[in-house]
C-alpha cells in the first residue's frame, strides 16, 4: 500500500456499470457548493424543492417523499422494516441478488417471508404470487422493478392487481429504473417505491429516494409497535423532511445538493425523453453485440431491463480478463455476474449521464479490440457499424450535455 | 416556495454549531474529484488508506475500522444492534439527547435497557453504573464521550473499570470528540467507538467512522442470531471493508474522498495539536463571554466539552432572535437548546476547521452588537479584548490553513 497520507488522485473512468454512473460536470459543481447547516433556513426551504423534484420523477403527489440518507440497500431496509410488525407475513418475488436481498432483509425482522422465485433471467409470474398468497393475510408483496443482477425488468401492473386481491401493500425497488424506465408511482398505485441516487438519476451514491402513499403513511402512523430501526423510521424521519423540519439526523448535505442538480437535468430532458434515450442506446448496444456474435443473457426482449444489459461471455473468452483490460487499457468499467452468474455474464450499464451514443461506440470498439486479441472470430468493425446504423437523426439530448 | 427547478445558490455561512463544521477548501476539492466505481481497484486500495488514517485518529490497531455509510446516529444504531441479542440487558448513561438516543435505539431491539441518568449539564457518575449493574449480566455499557446537547464531556476511564467488573462491552459515542478532544481507543480499551464526519474531523456529514476491538469483533462473529439490521450489520459490511472488498452496498464515494482529505489535514496538524487548538479557542470564547457577563450552562470547568460550549441565554434576552440576527446579519450559524433546554441555552461549536481564533473574535463581536441592541448592559469591546488577551504567540495551526 502506498502512503495513506499521500494526496489522492482518482483516475477518470467511463463507468458503464449498473451504478455508479458517470456524473455531469454540473453535478460535480453542485457537490462542491458551500456547505450549510441542516437546519439553516435556506437549506430547509431548499429541501422542499428537492422533494418536489423527486415527486415529479416518481410521478407522485405523495407527501412522504424524500431521499433517505443511505444507499439503495438502505431503501430496501426502510421499506420493509417500516411496514412489517411482529407476526406479519409477506411475499417477496425473487429473481436475482437484489430481490433476494429484499427477502433477506425482511426475514431479519422475524416476520414470515415467502419467496416466490423465477429462474435467473426471467421475471416472477404474478400467477405464482396469487397462488402463494391465496387464503393468507399478506402484509406486503415486494419486487424489484429492475433486477440489476440479471438485467430483467418486471411489469408491475399485474402485481398491483394481485396486491388488491390480497389486501397487500405493494413495495417496488426502482433502484435501477427510476428516471431510466417508464414508472409512474401514482398511476400504477405503488405503495412504497424507492430508488438509488447513482443509477439513472446520475447523482453520486449515498442516497435512496423513497416515496410512500398516503394510505401506507397512515398505516405506518398507526403501527402498534415501534419500527425496529431508529435510523430508518420513516415516520420520525418525516419530522425533519415534513413540515416541522425538526432535526432527526444530519443528512449528507453535499449529496442532496448533487441530487438536486441531477434531478434538474433529468427533468430538463423530460422523463419521456430520458426513457427513450435509455431505450435507444441499449438498442444500439444490442445491435452491436449481436453483429459481433455475442448473445444476451435475457432471452425474451420484453424481459430486458433498458438500463442494464446482461451479456453472455462468449465460449472460450476469459471474461475477467476482458473486464480487466477494458479498465486498464481504456479506463472503462463494466461489471461481472454476481453469485452463480459469476464468470458467466458481463453487465453493462447505460444509465443516466453514462447513456450516450458515443459511449456505446467506444465500448464496442474497445471490446472488439480485446476479443480479437483473445482470438474470438469476428469481423473488425461490424459491432460499431451495426450500433451506429440504429442511430436516427440528432442524438437524443444526452443528459446535461450542451447546457 | 421558489421554483424548485431554479439553479441552487447556497449562502456562505460560518458554521459555529455542534456540526456540521465548515470545510477546508481542500475538502471541497476532494468532494468534486472524479467519481469511480465502488469496486474499482484504484478505489479498493484507496479505501485501505482511509481506514489506516481512521486508525491513527482513533489511536487503534483495530482491523474492523471503517466509515459507516450513515450519519452519527447511524453509528449509534450500528454499535448497539450488533452487540445486542434477544434477552440481553444493557446500561446506557443518559445525560442528554444523544445519550438518550442511544438508549432509545437500544430499546428498539427488545433488549432490556437500564438508563442511568445524570442531571443535564453533568456527567453520569460511574458509581451509579456500578450499582445498577451489580449482580446482573450486562452486555454493554454505553455513554457519550461528548454529550453535544449540553456541552458535557465524560471521563471514560472509570467506566472502563466498571465494565471490567461487570464483564460488559464498553460503547463510546465520540461523535463530538474524535480529533477534537483527547481519546485513545486502544489505550483506554474502548470496545466500540464511533464518531461523525462533520464535527472535529470537518468532513461533510453523511459518514460515521467506527472501530471495533478484536475481542468484540470475535463476539459479533459468534452471535447466535442475525443482526436485526442488514444495512448496519458490521460483520457482513466487513466483507467489503475487509480483505475481500466484496460488494455489500455502494458507499457514498465522494464523502469518502472528502473524509480522506479531512483526515490528512487532522494528521498533518497532529492529534495533540488539534486537541490543544480546540482547548485554546474554547478558552478564548469563554473568557470573552465571561467578560461580557454571560454565564455557561456547564458549571464545573472539568465537565466542559472543548468542542461545544453551552451558553446560558442571559435574562431578558430573546435567544431565538439573537440566533436569527447572527444568521441573517452576519451569516453565522449557532444552535439552540434541544428538548427541555430549548430557549434556555445557545450552543456554539468550535470544531475542526471552524475552530480558529478569528472565528472566536468574529462571533463575540457580532454577539455584542446584537446584545447591545437588545439593551443588555455590557461595555462594548470587553468580550473581544478578553478573548484576544488569551492568545499567546503564533496561532495554533488552524486546520488546513496555509497549506
Amino acid at each position: 500500500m502506498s502512503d495513506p497520507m499521500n494526496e489522492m488522485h482518482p483516475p477518470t473512468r467511463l463507468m458503464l456499470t449498473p451504478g455508479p454512473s458517470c456524473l455531469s460536470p454540473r453535478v460535480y459543481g453542485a457537490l462542491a457548493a458551500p456547505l450549510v447547516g441542516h437546519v439553516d433556513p435556506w437549506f430547509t426551504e431548499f429541501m422542499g424543492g428537492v422533494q418536489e423534484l423527486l415527486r415529479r420523477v416518481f410521478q407522485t403527489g405523495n407527501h412522504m417523499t424524500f431521499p433517505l440518507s443511505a444507499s439503495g440497500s438502505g431503501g430496501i431496509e426502510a421499506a420493509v422494516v417500516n411496514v412489517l410488525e411482529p407476526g406479519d407475513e409477506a411475499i417477496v418475488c425473487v429473481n436475482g441478488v437484489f430481490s433476494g436481498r429484499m427477502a433477506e432483509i425482511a426475514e431479519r425482522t422475524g416476520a414470515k417471508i415467502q419467496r416466490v422465485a423465477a429462474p435467473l433471467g426471467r421475471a416472477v409470474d404474478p400467477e405464482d404470487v396469487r397462488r402463494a398468497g391465496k387464503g393468507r393475510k399478506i402484509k406486503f408483496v415486494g419486487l424489484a422493478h429492475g433486477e440489476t443482477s440479471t438485467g430483467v425488468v418486471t411489469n408491475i401492473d399485474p402485481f398491483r392487481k394481485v396486491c388488491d386481491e390480497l389486501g397487500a401493500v405493494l413495495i417496488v425497488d426502482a433502484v435501477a429504473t427510476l428516471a431510466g424506465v417508464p414508472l409512474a408511482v401514482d398511476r400504477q398505485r405503488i405503495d412504497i417505491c424507492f430508488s438509488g441516487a447513482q443509477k439513472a438519476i446520475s447523482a453520486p451514491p449515498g442516497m435512496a429516494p423513497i416515496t410512500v402513499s398516503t394510505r401506507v403513511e397512515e398505516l405506518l402512523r398507526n403501527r402498534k409497535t415501534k419500527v425496529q430501526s431508529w435510523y430508518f423510521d420513516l415516520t420520525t424521519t418525516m419530522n425533519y423532511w415534513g413540515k416541522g423540519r425538526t432535526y432527526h439526523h444530519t443528512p449528507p448535505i453535499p449529496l442532496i445538493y448533487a441530487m438536486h442538480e441531477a434531478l434538474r437535468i433529468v427533468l430538463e430532458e423530460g422523463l419521456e425523453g430520458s426513457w427513450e434515450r435509455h431505450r435507444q442506446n441499449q438498442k444500439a448496444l444490442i445491435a452491436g453485440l449481436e453483429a459481433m456474435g455475442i448473445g444476451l443473457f435475457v432471452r425474451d426482449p420484453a424481459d430486458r431491463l433498458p438500463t442494464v444489459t446482461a451479456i453472455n461471455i462468449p465460449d472460450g473468452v476469459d471474461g475477467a480478463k476482458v473486464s480487466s483490460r477494458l479498465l486498464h487499457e481504456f479506463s472503462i468499467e463494466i461489471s461481472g455476474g454476481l453469485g452463480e452468474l459469476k464468470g458467466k455474464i458481463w453487465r453493462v450499464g447505460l444509465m443516466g449521464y453514462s447513456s450516450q451514443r458515443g459511449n456505446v461506440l467506444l465500448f464496442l470498439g474497445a471490446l472488439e479490440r480485446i476479443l480479437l486479441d483473445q482470438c474470438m472470430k469476428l469481423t473488425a468493425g461490424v459491432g460499431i457499424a451495426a450500433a451506429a446504423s440504429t442511430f436516427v437523426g440528432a442524438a437524443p439530448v444526452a443528459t446535461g450535455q450542451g447546457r
Side-chain angles (χ1 to χ4, degrees), chain A:
Chain A
M1 192 169 78
S2 55
D3 184 345
M5 284 294 282
N6 284 348
E7 200 176 338
M8 156 190 97
H9 294 294
T12 306
R13 301 288 196 210
L14 173 58
M15 288 172 284
L16 301 180
T17 62
S21 306
C22 292
L23 305 182
S24 159
R26 287 171 54 183
V27 174
Y28 281 109
L31 267 173
L35 185 70
V36 298
H38 51 288
V39 291
D40 189 304
W42 178 85
F43 188 68
T44 54
E45 189 188 337
F46 173 74
M47 288 162 65
V50 174
Q51 292 177 281
E52 182 50 34
L53 299 190
L54 281 176
R55 286 187 192 102
R56 295 181 193 176
V57 172
F58 274 123
Q59 299 202 73
T60 184
N62 288 339
H63 169 66
M64 188 183 264
T65 304
F66 64 94
L68 287 162
S69 309
S71 81
S73 298
I76 305 179
E77 184 151 332
V80 306
V81 304
N82 277 273
V83 170
L84 290 174
E85 294 208 64
D88 279 347
E89 205 170 322
I91 292 175
V92 179
C93 304
V94 176
N95 63 335
V97 170
F98 294 93
S99 44
R101 177 169 292 183
M102 187 190 283
E104 199 204 320
I105 291 173
E107 281 155 3
R108 289 190 182 211
T109 65
K112 190 178 167 195
I113 308 301
Q114 281 191 72
R115 295 169 182 236
V116 174
L120 296 180
R122 300 292 305 277
V124 168
D125 186 343
E127 212 45 64
D128 290 346
V129 174
R130 182 172 279 123
R131 247 192 309 275
K134 202 168 182 179
R136 321 180 85 129
K137 205 176 164 203
I138 301 298
K139 192 66 166 284
F140 78 78
V141 173
L143 61 88
H145 185 208
E147 173 49 68
T148 326
S149 68
T150 57
V152 168
V153 69
T154 288
N155 180 9
I156 295 169
D157 298 332
F159 293 90
R160 174 68 264 177
K161 197 152 180 294
V162 174
C163 283
D164 286 340
E165 293 164 24
L166 299 175
V169 166
L170 175 61
I171 298 180
V172 171
D173 171 342
V175 169
T177 56
L178 186 68
V181 178
L183 176 76
V185 165
D186 283 0
R187 191 178 52 69
Q188 299 184 281
R189 294 192 295 115
I190 301 167
D191 292 300
I192 304 185
C193 189
F194 57 87
S195 188
Q198 77 277 23
K199 312 274 178 170
I201 295 172
S202 279
M207 301 215 86
I210 192 165
T211 187
V212 177
S213 70
T214 311
R215 192 175 70 86
V216 171
E217 188 181 349
E218 192 61 29
L219 186 142
L220 301 188
R221 213 175 286 118
N222 294 323
R223 283 178 61 103
K224 290 189 193 72
T225 57
K226 280 193 179 175
V227 178
Q228 67 179 32
S229 171
W230 183 94
Y231 192 73
F232 289 120
D233 187 324
L234 293 172
T235 309
T236 53
T237 307
M238 275 302 283
N239 293 337
Y240 180 61
W241 284 97
K243 206 175 168 193
R245 296 285 191 254
T246 310
Y247 169 64
H248 178 264
H249 68 270
T250 310
I253 294 160
L255 301 185
I256 299 175
Y257 288 171
M259 175 163 292
H260 178 258
E261 193 63 20
L263 291 170
R264 287 178 76 218
I265 294 172
V266 167
L267 291 164
E268 284 165 10
E269 181 178 21
L271 285 173
E272 301 209 348
S274 180
W275 301 335
E276 182 59 17
R277 174 168 52 84
H278 284 83
R279 206 188 61 76
Q280 284 187 19
N281 287 330
Q282 185 189 45
K283 188 177 158 197
L285 172 67
I286 292 174
L289 292 167
E290 287 181 340
M292 290 162 75
I294 299 171
L296 299 186
F297 178 67
V298 179
R299 297 272 174 87
D300 186 343
D303 284 340
R304 287 179 194 151
L305 178 60
T307 46
V308 178
T309 306
I311 302 168
N312 290 324
I313 296 171
D315 289 340
V317 167
D318 180 340
K321 199 170 168 189
V322 170
S323 299
S324 173
R325 286 193 57 189
L326 281 169
L327 190 77
H328 292 106
E329 296 173 26
F330 297 90
S331 219
I332 296 173
E333 191 191 8
I334 65 167
S335 297
L338 297 173
E340 55 184 290
L341 294 178
K342 199 174 172 175
K344 295 184 180 162
I345 61 169
W346 293 306
R347 292 180 302 141
V348 173
L350 288 171
M351 291 197 286
Y353 192 70
S354 289
S355 173
Q356 297 184 24
R357 284 184 178 178
N359 293 343
V360 176
L361 302 186
L362 172 51
F363 168 69
L364 289 171
L367 180 66
E368 174 190 289
R369 158 66 199 270
I370 297 167
L371 291 177
L372 286 170
D373 280 355
Q374 286 210 17
C375 302
M376 185 171 153
K377 273 181 194 154
L378 61 91
T379 312
V382 289
I384 286 183
S389 75
T390 68
F391 299 149
V392 178
V397 178
T399 308
Q401 278 190 321
R403 293 200 186 99

